[in-house]
């Protein structure tokens, strides 16, 4: 799945339009959960070297919120890296260069969406 395909999938599946909060980086796109306004996906283009991979050419990546129990095992798979500029325990970076199967990216997007949904409010106990 490439950047354009992922962006289209996010729009169709979650109704989330890209937000570009950094004028200096017009290609950086943030996708927010409609209920909480929290980020659930961030698409960037960065030099491969920033991921610890040989080469200076740019690669499109997506940062996704992830269950901390999964981040370590995901980083052992091709195409996954410690989260770029995010909390490394609860975010994961996936390359959008075909190394990660589309179905896996979709499943991780679903997880990220769920992890960023609004938390249920606790009902307060009212005394008569």
């Amino acid at each position: 799945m490439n950047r354009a395909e992922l962006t289209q999938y996010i729009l169709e599946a979650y109704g989330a339009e890209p937000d570009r909060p950094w004028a200096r980086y017009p290609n950086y796109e943030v996708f927010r959960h409609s209920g909480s306004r929290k980020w659930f996906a961030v698409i960037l283009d960065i030099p491969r070297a920033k991921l610890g991979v040989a080469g200076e050419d740019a690669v499109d990546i997506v940062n996704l919120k992830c269950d901390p129990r999964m981040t370590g095992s995901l980083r052992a798979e091709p195409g996954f890296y410690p989260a770029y500029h995010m909390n490394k325990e609860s975010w994961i970076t996936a390359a959008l260069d075909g190394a990660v199967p589309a179905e896996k990216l979709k499943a991780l997007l679903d997880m990220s969406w769920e992890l960023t949904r609004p938390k249920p409010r606790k009902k307060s106990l009212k005394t008569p």
Side-chain angles (χ1 to χ4, degrees), residues 49-75:
K50 298 238 181 204
L51 297 174
V53 178
E56 287 299 318
D57 59 320
V59 61
D60 289 326
I61 61 168
V62 61
N63 285 338
L64 300 165
K65 184 91 170 175
C66 187
D67 184 326
R69 296 172 292 188
M70 294 179 63
T71 55
S73 60
L74 283 171
R75 286 188 292 232

Side-chain angles (χ1 to χ4, degrees), residues 3 5 7 15 18 20 22 27 40 48 53 62 66 89 97 119 126:
R3 181 188 194 120
E5 293 166 338
T7 301
R20 294 176 184 86
W22 303 286
N27 288 336
F40 72 94
R48 288 185 186 275
V53 178
V62 61
C66 187
E89 290 180 27
D97 60 0
K119 304 294 183 241
K126 292 183 181 180

Side-chain angles (χ1 to χ4, degrees), residues 1 14 17-18 23-25 42 44 46 48 53 57-58 64 72 74-75 79 83 99 102 113 121:
M1 182 174 274
Y14 308 101
E17 294 278 348
R24 184 174 170 193
Y25 300 103
V42 183
L44 316 149
I46 61 170
R48 288 185 186 275
V53 178
D57 59 320
L64 300 165
L74 283 171
R75 286 188 292 232
W113 177 261
R121 291 183 160 199

Side-chain angles (χ1 to χ4, degrees), residues 92-113:
I92 191 78
T93 291
L96 298 176
D97 60 0
V100 178
E103 291 310 311
K104 185 141 204 157
L105 278 174
K106 290 176 182 179
L108 290 169
L109 268 167
D110 284 342
M111 178 189 300
S112 188
W113 177 261

Side-chain angles (χ1 to χ4, degrees), residues 68 71-72 75 81-93:
T71 55
R75 286 188 292 232
Y81 304 91
Y84 178 74
H85 271 286
M86 302 293 270
N87 179 306
K88 309 238 182 307
E89 290 180 27
S90 56
W91 287 80
I92 191 78
T93 291

